[in-house]
Amino acid sequence: MADSQVSLTSATQTERLIARLTLFFGAVAGVVAALLRQPLWAGGLMVGAILAWFNFRWLRQGMDAMVAASQGQPGVTRPRVPIGAYFRVLFRYALIAVTVYVIFELLKFPLASMVMGLCALGPAVIAASVYEIARPAAVRK
């Protein structure tokens, strides 16, 4: 297997790990809030973590589509990128903001709990990075 394929596979595995850890950290925070008898906070934390997962997924899909489109058109000075890729990259924050507002209005989850749930992506990235540093792809073979 070529070095570029190893790094691509490793990057894909790391992206999947980040996605799983985002949901894991959000679920843990939600369970802790539920155990503290804060059901609205528990729901908000979990909703925020799910939105963080969508945010990460949309960013990854949008960037992958842009890279694939630009690499698939060699020699073209301005490669054509699907409009959906731009949408995912540029408007994901607007979609998340609208979703948070609707959930805040309809389900009455505290806004701070959803924002904290959105922050679940941070610890997930840190944990995945530490894992990659401590156990690089070459060692995991």
Side-chain angles (χ1 to χ4, degrees):
M1 193 182 292
D3 287 338
S4 63
Q5 289 176 331
V6 170
S7 64
L8 180 62
T9 303
S10 176
T12 303
Q13 290 173 346
T14 304
E15 289 171 355
R16 289 180 181 154
L17 179 61
I18 291 170
R20 286 192 306 263
L21 286 174
T22 299
L23 294 175
F24 173 75
F25 286 132
V28 168
V31 167
V32 168
L35 291 174
L36 294 173
R37 299 174 197 251
Q38 298 293 325
L40 291 177
W41 266 82
L45 287 165
M46 289 187 184
V47 164
I50 291 168
L51 289 173
W53 178 79
F54 275 117
N55 179 37
F56 181 72
R57 181 180 166 150
W58 290 333
L59 175 63
R60 187 181 76 209
Q61 288 175 347
M63 297 309 285
D64 288 348
M66 285 185 186
V67 169
S70 65
Q71 289 177 345
Q73 302 170 23
V76 177
T77 57
R78 295 190 68 194
R80 301 189 80 182
V81 178
I83 207 79
Y86 286 117
F87 183 77
R88 284 186 193 110
V89 171
L90 297 175
F91 297 110
R92 67 186 198 281
Y93 291 124
L95 291 171
I96 288 171
V98 168
T99 304
V100 165
Y101 176 75
V102 168
I103 291 171
F104 174 73
E105 287 294 321
L106 292 178
L107 300 177
K108 306 298 183 200
F109 288 157
L111 187 58
S113 68
M114 288 185 281
V115 170
M116 287 182 69
L118 282 165
C119 293
L121 183 59
V125 169
I126 292 169
S129 298
V130 169
Y131 177 76
E132 287 298 319
I133 292 167
R135 192 164 165 85
V139 174
R140 282 185 258 146
K141 283 185 175 183

